[in-house]
Amino acid sequence: MQATIDEALRRHEGEPGALLPVLHDIQDTLGYVPAQAIPRIAEGLNLSRAEVYGVITYYSHFRHDPPARHAVAICRGEACQSMGSAALLAHAERVLDCKSHQVSADGQFQLEPVYCLGLCASSPAATLDGTPHARVTPAKFDALIASQRDIK
Ligand code: FES
């Protein structure tokens, strides 16, 4: 982890506004921005820990914990909204027992709302581990999750 942080800081050394690129690099490599990274980032960019923490928590893109094995994205774009994606997202939150931007209660799925997957004509749309799925009903969603969920 330390090497990843130091490499990100070195790569963007002297750049104005380096904080966001550094955070992106760390998340791209580790999958999240660990809380333990904040002091080193702050020191490396001559910022306060509060400033670094504030940026990490302001942008929902940055994860605070290691990502789950599977990524679920449900479209909240206009076309999908008109075809019931809000209800689909609520269903997903119940099934996965978590809120948007969180990891499911079993730790296996990360649930993210997104805005347009390019499948507007086949709304509502979702992706599972990057694979697009069209006209996703609650039953279809349940089947997708069951196909990837590890039995404990
Ligand atoms: S609005 Fe959902 S795929 Fe375009």
Side-chain angles (χ1 to χ4, degrees):
M1 178 197 311
Q2 197 61 47
T4 297
I5 297 164
D6 288 343
E7 172 59 23
L9 289 168
R10 188 204 55 71
R11 192 175 305 126
H12 299 286
E13 188 175 357
E15 284 180 20
L19 179 54
L20 282 173
V22 165
L23 294 175
H24 279 288
D25 283 4
I26 292 169
Q27 181 156 299
D28 288 348
T29 303
L30 299 178
Y32 71 116
V33 181
Q36 305 92 305
I38 292 174
R40 178 70 190 106
I41 296 168
E43 180 190 330
L45 297 178
N46 198 25
L47 298 169
S48 71
R49 293 178 185 192
E51 287 173 295
V52 176
Y53 178 79
V55 169
I56 294 170
T57 54
Y58 178 79
Y59 293 102
S60 62
H61 171 76
F62 294 117
R63 286 189 293 269
H64 312 276
D65 300 300
R69 181 148 21 107
H70 300 292
V72 177
I74 294 181
C75 183
R76 300 289 314 276
E78 210 168 293
C80 289
Q81 289 276 14
S82 71
M83 295 300 287
S85 69
L88 180 62
L89 183 60
H91 175 79
E93 290 179 342
R94 279 193 303 277
V95 168
L96 298 176
D97 195 12
C98 68
K99 294 293 183 192
S100 296
H101 307 294
Q102 293 182 348
V103 173
S104 60
D106 64 7
Q108 296 185 41
F109 299 90
Q110 174 84 33
L111 179 61
E112 296 292 340
V114 295
Y115 294 88
C116 198
L117 294 165
L119 292 169
C120 311
S122 305
S123 303
T127 61
L128 177 57
D129 295 333
T131 301
H133 298 275
R135 295 189 178 92
V136 181
T137 62
K140 187 171 180 177
F141 179 83
D142 292 351
L144 287 169
I145 295 302
S147 73
Q148 297 300 315
R149 180 173 262 157
D150 291 340
I151 308 295
K152 291 194 174 181

